[in-house]
Amino acid sequence: MEKQPPAWSRLLDLSDKALAVLLLAPAGLLLSLIIVYPVLRLIYTSFFSLSLTSGLPAEFVGLENYQLMIEDPVFWETTWNTVLITLITVPGALVVGMGLALLANLPFRRQWPVRLSLLIPWALPLSFAGLIFAWFFHSEYGVVNDVLSRFGIEGVIWFNSPNLAFAAICLTIIWKTSSFMALIILAGLQTIPRSLYEAADVDGAGRIRQFFEITLPLLKPAIVVALIFRTITALQTFDIPFMMTGGGPGTSTATLAMYIHQNTVSFLDLGYGSALAVVMFALSMCVTVIYLRIIRTKE
Amino acid sequence: MNKSVVAGALLSASIFGLSAPAFADTELKVYISSQHQPQVWRQVLDKFEAANPGTKVTIETGGNTSEAQAQYLNTIMSAKDSSLDVLILDVIRPAQFAAAGWTSPFEGKDMSVYLPAYAEANTVDGKVVALPAFADSMFLYYRKDLLEKYGIEPPKTWDELKAAVKKINGGENNADLQGLSFQGKAIEGAVCTFLLPYWSQGKTLVDNGKLTFDKTAAVNSLKLWKSMVDDGISKKNIAEVATDDTRKEFQAGNVVFAVNWSYAWAQSQGKDSAVAGKVGVTRLPAVAGGEQATCLGGWEWGVSAYSKNQDAAKKLVSFLSSQEASKHMAANGSLLPTYPALYQDADVLKAAPWFADAKQVVETAKPRPVTPRYNEVSEVIRTTVNAVLAGVTTPEDGAAQIEARLKRILR
């Protein structure tokens, strides 16, 4: 009589494809639980009039929340602020981060102080950075106005002016996020073989030429990765303006994420808040798709 | 020698110990904001525990501003979390909590024992949704020493206040001395900032749930505060000033007049106060030809609708809101009572003599609009006040924005 093969060995009889599906199933299930379900639920809620302060049950209203959004000046203002913050702080953090990475990559005898100082802004919680810089830019007790006065420049009330408040926020975000850019770029820099530069030296290429001909092209993958992460977090900017200005003066420095938080957590208008969040989700998706396209075409 | 006695004691102790859980079968958790002296409330809770063996009460603290506290509770309550049994609520919140179905009503509770404003603030659609914890209102703090030095009476109108500041500033010649500190930051206090001169003109904002906005009065109100900045009475960065900044500036001796809540008194008399013994407290001034008005404050106790110990929680709230507890908090925590009689109580007045004059102020204080959508109303007003004081919006545009946005919220 022939012996039945043990149960586990039947797994091996499966085709490669079926096995792959089987082995991926737990991960797929987990992903759909923690990502797909909440996103679908968010989109679903955005079609309802669901306000906890109204005392009324949820009611299906179709696209009404989206229509309200188009007529809502605060939505446009906060979206524009968010886009502007992204357009200013992402390139800003890239340039500063690149500089910091090159500095940290210089052949100092002791590199750890440079690298440690790179890590500190990255390791600070966002809201903490916002709190610290709110004090830095305070018109009376702040260090920024104090430094300005030492150079004979009269201090300004940063948070009284939409433009100055916006500038203060962008500077803070660049300070906070450039170290993250620097860390990724530094890792990229260290994969570039020394021999390339030695060869360039022999060929008589100057430092600047070496940077543009060797460093930058070889850094491209690291830069793109850093840019994707930074752009998406920039679109979700919340903590730093929340702690620094609370969106003020008026609503001139409020971001879309702050407006979502206000509608859902403070006003308890879950329907409208969800619709706003769907827009932010769509914005992040668009940006990711654009970046991925760029990488593919480049390859 | 008395081994058996010891053994017997141990035995009975262990029996008592074992059976203790059978008595302590009710555990209640009370949420108190950290700025509301949880350690003094603890003394009241200890009294409750002593009178109700078998009930254990623990405190959870958090959120040291009204907004932070509300955001925390909004998250907990919208998740239908049953971990909190009793909640302390800002006087502006019972209506919202009741509309969301987050608090359990108190059936047949006699509210006439409290000051009328608090009986009203806790009654929504004829139902008692929370009970008063303590009263509060905004006062005008002033430097008694400086006013006496220049022979000035405490001002009754804002114009008198401006004149007083000019006289004092002229004589003192101190660039660090500010005339008036008030709240210009986009916080809850800025809503009161707007309402003080608005009400003073005899206008209401909401009546029976209907918007009764008076644009002229709103423009006047915003103009008044802007003129404080433009005339040099208040400092240029007043849009950065929050409630506790006002308290600190006044306490450091850098302010002649300050608009603040009652809590500032105890600290201004403290050891590290530069103005201890030099502080006067009076009613807030009126606009010329108007009536003196102030903003009603105070906090309330509510029972969470998701609490699994409804009866025990209600019993606790009734105790926390009792005259006995109110007296303890007035004498030990300088919290204004919601019972009229306590303002003449000898023990209370011994601890806080100025309470004798505070009752008439609290009695005439006006509540902020009672609506479930108060958070939105508040946001509209405070961001506009902030923008006007920062010079980003004119008083006229600000009033128009408030009107347009309030019409949408309270339609």
Side-chain angles (χ1 to χ4, degrees), chain A residues 161-217:
Chain A
S161 145
N163 291 339
L164 289 176
F166 205 83
I169 288 170
C170 287
L171 281 171
T172 307
I173 295 176
I174 291 174
W175 176 85
K176 170 77 179 86
T177 57
S178 54
S179 57
F180 169 74
M181 299 292 246
L183 287 173
I184 294 185
I185 294 171
L186 181 60
L189 276 175
Q190 300 198 326
T191 63
I192 303 176
R194 290 256 135 242
S195 57
L196 287 177
Y197 294 102
E198 283 156 14
D201 273 338
V202 173
D203 291 344
R207 289 258 163 229
I208 293 168
R209 182 124 187 245
Q210 285 182 17
F211 176 75
F212 283 103
E213 302 270 318
I214 303 171
T215 315
L216 212 52

Side-chain angles (χ1 to χ4, degrees), chain A residues 10-46:
Chain A
R10 250 177 279 156
L11 262 180
L12 299 175
D13 297 339
L14 289 169
S15 71
D16 282 355
K17 216 173 193 176
L19 185 66
V21 170
L22 192 70
L23 293 179
L24 280 175
L29 204 66
L30 194 69
L31 266 183
S32 52
L33 263 179
I34 62 170
I35 296 175
V36 181
Y37 172 73
V39 171
L40 289 180
R41 184 67 201 250
L42 182 76
I43 296 170
Y44 176 78
T45 313
S46 75

Side-chain angles (χ1 to χ4, degrees), chain A residues 202-275:
Chain A
V202 173
D203 291 344
R207 289 258 163 229
I208 293 168
R209 182 124 187 245
Q210 285 182 17
F211 176 75
F212 283 103
E213 302 270 318
I214 303 171
T215 315
L216 212 52
L218 289 173
L219 270 184
K220 222 168 228 168
I223 290 175
V224 172
V225 167
L227 278 179
I228 292 181
F229 278 109
R230 184 70 271 280
T231 312
I232 291 172
T233 50
L235 287 173
Q236 296 167 353
T237 300
F238 175 85
D239 310 57
I240 284 174
F242 185 77
M243 299 307 282
M244 284 179 77
T245 63
T251 49
S252 54
T253 57
T255 64
L256 184 55
M258 287 166 75
Y259 196 46
I260 295 171
H261 168 263
Q262 189 176 59
N263 272 286
T264 47
V265 178
S266 298
F267 301 166
L268 296 166
D269 191 342
L270 302 186
Y272 191 56
S274 300

Side-chain angles (χ1 to χ4, degrees), chain A residues 61-125:
Chain A
V61 291
L63 292 172
E64 200 177 278
N65 285 324
Y66 293 90
Q67 204 180 330
L68 279 177
M69 209 185 293
I70 292 167
E71 296 158 9
D72 180 357
V74 186
F75 162 71
W76 291 109
E77 188 183 11
T78 51
T79 305
W80 170 240
N81 287 343
T82 307
V83 171
L84 211 56
I85 284 178
T86 310
L87 290 178
I88 293 170
T89 64
V90 174
L94 178 65
V95 171
V96 177
M98 176 79 80
L100 289 172
L102 291 172
L103 189 70
N105 202 39
L106 285 178
F108 289 127
R109 194 171 306 163
R110 295 241 181 278
Q111 283 186 323
W112 67 265
V114 182
R115 298 200 175 169
L116 185 70
S117 57
L118 264 189
L119 273 170
I120 287 173
W122 174 75
L124 273 185

Side-chain angles (χ1 to χ4, degrees), chain B residues 204-276:
Chain B
T204 58
L205 194 67
V206 174
D207 198 12
N208 279 325
K210 288 242 158 47
L211 186 66
T212 50
F213 188 79
D214 187 286
K215 201 167 160 192
T216 317
V219 173
N220 290 341
S221 169
L222 293 171
K223 268 188 180 158
L224 172 79
W225 294 117
K226 187 70 172 63
S227 76
M228 294 290 180
V229 184
D230 295 341
D231 298 351
I233 305 291
S234 302
K235 54 184 190 177
K236 294 243 177 300
N237 72 335
I238 198 80
E240 282 182 306
V241 173
T243 315
D244 215 41
D245 298 326
T246 297
R247 197 265 303 165
K248 284 180 198 149
E249 287 166 356
F250 185 78
Q251 202 173 313
N254 297 330
V255 177
V256 183
F257 295 102
V259 179
N260 214 330
W261 302 93
S262 59
Y263 85 101
W265 168 266
Q267 278 159 301
S268 73
Q269 299 303 314
K271 270 189 214 129
D272 48 353
S273 168
V275 292

Side-chain angles (χ1 to χ4, degrees), chain A residues 52-55 72-74 137-141 157 159-162 242 248-251 261-262 265-268, chain B residues 71 74-75 78 96 99-100 102 235-237 239-240 249 372-373 375-376 379 383 386-387 389-392 405 408:
Chain A
L52 295 182
T53 56
S54 70
D72 180 357
V74 186
F137 285 104
H138 193 280
S139 63
E140 272 180 294
Y141 324 113
I157 304 174
F159 300 135
N160 260 16
S161 145
F242 185 77
T251 49
H261 168 263
Q262 189 176 59
V265 178
S266 298
F267 301 166
L268 296 166
Chain B
Q71 282 174 5
N74 281 354
T75 314
S78 52
Q96 179 218 315
W102 288 348
K235 54 184 190 177
K236 294 243 177 300
N237 72 335
E240 282 182 306
E249 287 166 356
R373 297 183 69 177
N375 284 342
E376 287 158 85
E379 200 269 338
T383 51
N386 177 257
L389 290 173
V392 180
R405 293 178 67 191
R408 272 189 25 212

Side-chain angles (χ1 to χ4, degrees), chain B residues 311-330:
Chain B
D311 293 340
K314 280 185 185 161
K315 196 171 170 190
L316 172 61
V317 165
S318 296
F319 181 74
L320 288 174
S321 185
S322 68
Q323 185 154 344
E324 184 191 351
S326 193
K327 180 171 170 175
H328 184 91
M329 292 313 292

